[in-house]
Amino acid sequence: MVPAQLLRFNLSFFTRPPLSLHTHFTLLPKHRLNLSAPKSTLATTEPIPISHVSEPESHVTLSLDKLFVPPETEVSVDDSSLSTRILKGSNIVLSKYARDAQVTQAEFVKSSVRTEDCPSDGLPEFALVGRSNVGKSSLLNSLVRRKKLALTSKKPGKTQCINHFRINESWYLVDLPGYGYAAAPQELRGDWDKFTKDYFLNRSTLVSVFLLVDASIPVKKIDLEYASWLGQNQIPMTLIFTKCDKRKKKKNGGKRPEENVSDFQELIRGFFQTAPPWIMTSSVTNQGRDEILLHMAQLRNYWLKH
């Protein structure tokens, strides 16, 4: 029997020799296994207009080996139009699967404390996880343009279950318990950690984990450990850097969000063959909202097709 976690196309990479920058390549080969994915309920449309790509003159310059290239998408060092295909504030190249990204409907479905209790309708899902108080619920509310779809609180650790929110009647956003909440009892933290990781390893409909990292503060060891665990277990992962609207004064020793994002990427580089996909966001300004939805759309549509 093939383990459930192998029935997902792999978006994480372990350390291997670097790829040549002078060859056309697709970082994510098509999965050879026959996925038992449900038939898509999304409307068949042309890819939506791309209005959130990086401008060629952007101050952020990424080398080819630091880009995330979706399946069935070819890029080369000689492609002069490549910079116009990269989502703003990210390292993600858009593909032909970036369509049907708009959220028109969102509803809470259920809370579960075991993976086997999660919805069994086979719809693709994206899980949001991160350190407590990183802004998971705020980001979820921003994505669906609803202020109170997900519970937000000034007290970290409020999310204690696997919470499923059905989007457009065709896919799920999943809010998972935060980790690293020191005030929570050790026994409770252990339970959260156990059932969350069980969900990652055994949820066959999981398309990708969106790991939220606070970009307004220096890199935290616990976030690095979580990213490395996901990579070691071949769990598809996208890094979502939150609170990118917050600006610390350099004279007080603070770093700009862009610097903290760069530091985090440098520290995890040894765990991956190439940089995982990442997006800079802010729930206050809605920075990164459309970019996340476009990225989810191209991953989801590829998953449904294969």
Side-chain angles (χ1 to χ4, degrees), residues 101-129:
Q102 299 91 337
V103 172
T104 59
Q105 183 182 8
E107 62 176 334
F108 171 73
V109 175
K110 68 177 300 188
S111 294
S112 310
V113 294
R114 300 185 306 169
T115 304
E116 51 266 39
D117 295 331
C118 292
S120 57
D121 49 17
L123 296 179
E125 54 197 51
F126 297 88
L128 305 181
V129 68

Side-chain angles (χ1 to χ4, degrees), residues 5-203:
Q5 61 267 32
L6 294 183
L7 295 181
R8 307 183 214 123
F9 57 88
N10 184 17
L11 301 186
S12 299
F13 299 93
F14 299 107
T15 305
R16 293 177 184 167
L19 295 169
S20 169
L21 298 186
H22 299 287
T23 57
H24 291 262
F25 63 94
T26 298
L27 294 183
L28 297 181
K30 292 165 61 177
H31 207 292
R32 294 187 177 88
L33 294 179
N34 180 22
L35 301 183
S36 300
K39 210 172 174 184
S40 175
T41 59
L42 302 176
T44 302
T45 65
E46 292 300 312
I48 67 175
I50 306 305
S51 58
H52 303 279
V53 295
S54 297
E55 297 296 332
E57 66 272 20
S58 173
H59 68 282
V60 178
T61 302
L62 296 173
S63 57
L64 200 59
D65 62 326
K66 292 183 179 180
L67 294 178
F68 171 78
V69 184
E72 301 180 8
T73 304
E74 291 189 353
V75 300
S76 80
V77 71
D78 300 319
D79 186 355
S80 60
S81 67
L82 178 60
S83 61
T84 66
R85 297 164 52 200
I86 301 172
L87 285 172
K88 180 189 276 187
S90 82
N91 69 335
I92 299 168
V93 178
L94 284 195
S95 76
K96 62 183 180 181
Y97 291 101
R99 59 180 184 271
D100 302 313
Q102 299 91 337
V103 172
T104 59
Q105 183 182 8
E107 62 176 334
F108 171 73
V109 175
K110 68 177 300 188
S111 294
S112 310
V113 294
R114 300 185 306 169
T115 304
E116 51 266 39
D117 295 331
C118 292
S120 57
D121 49 17
L123 296 179
E125 54 197 51
F126 297 88
L128 305 181
V129 68
R131 192 168 48 84
S132 291
N133 208 29
V134 74
K136 285 189 295 90
S137 296
S138 295
L139 178 65
L140 195 155
N141 289 333
S142 173
L143 290 175
V144 301
R145 295 190 187 278
R146 296 262 295 276
K147 290 184 178 180
K148 296 183 179 180
L149 181 69
L151 180 65
T152 58
S153 173
K154 292 183 179 180
K155 181 179 179 181
K158 199 68 176 177
T159 302
Q160 299 180 15
C161 301
I162 304 173
N163 297 308
H164 276 74
F165 300 87
R166 188 162 50 225
I167 310 299
N168 299 347
E169 295 291 339
S170 57
W171 58 281
Y172 287 105
L173 280 172
V174 184
D175 189 13
L176 296 173
Y179 55 81
Y181 179 41
Q186 180 62 43
E187 181 179 348
L188 184 56
R189 283 188 312 218
D191 288 343
W192 293 351
D193 188 64
K194 182 179 178 181
F195 80 68
T196 298
K197 289 185 176 179
D198 178 74
Y199 165 84
F200 291 151
L201 293 170
N202 297 305
R203 187 64 172 166

Side-chain angles (χ1 to χ4, degrees), residues 153-283:
S153 173
K154 292 183 179 180
K155 181 179 179 181
K158 199 68 176 177
T159 302
Q160 299 180 15
C161 301
I162 304 173
N163 297 308
H164 276 74
F165 300 87
R166 188 162 50 225
I167 310 299
N168 299 347
E169 295 291 339
S170 57
W171 58 281
Y172 287 105
L173 280 172
V174 184
D175 189 13
L176 296 173
Y179 55 81
Y181 179 41
Q186 180 62 43
E187 181 179 348
L188 184 56
R189 283 188 312 218
D191 288 343
W192 293 351
D193 188 64
K194 182 179 178 181
F195 80 68
T196 298
K197 289 185 176 179
D198 178 74
Y199 165 84
F200 291 151
L201 293 170
N202 297 305
R203 187 64 172 166
S204 62
T205 52
L206 178 63
V207 177
S208 182
V209 174
F210 280 53
L211 177 61
L212 277 59
V213 177
D214 188 341
S216 71
I217 59 176
V219 176
K220 294 283 187 180
K221 180 181 177 182
I222 192 170
D223 292 327
L224 294 172
E225 291 174 344
Y226 219 95
S228 106
W229 183 89
L230 289 169
Q232 289 166 8
N233 286 276
Q234 301 189 51
I235 310 297
M237 177 184 72
T238 295
L239 292 169
I240 301 297
F241 293 100
T242 65
K243 306 183 183 181
C244 290
D245 58 290
K246 295 190 176 181
R247 302 283 164 177
K248 298 294 179 69
K249 293 183 178 180
K250 284 223 147 206
K251 65 180 181 181
N252 295 332
K255 286 188 175 183
R256 293 181 292 116
E258 294 84 356
E259 295 175 292
N260 290 325
V261 168
S262 179
D263 289 346
F264 192 93
Q265 292 168 12
E266 284 295 321
L267 289 168
I268 67 168
R269 181 174 294 181
F271 297 114
F272 300 91
Q273 174 191 353
T274 59
W278 56 265
I279 302 173
M280 296 180 66
T281 73
S282 166
S283 296

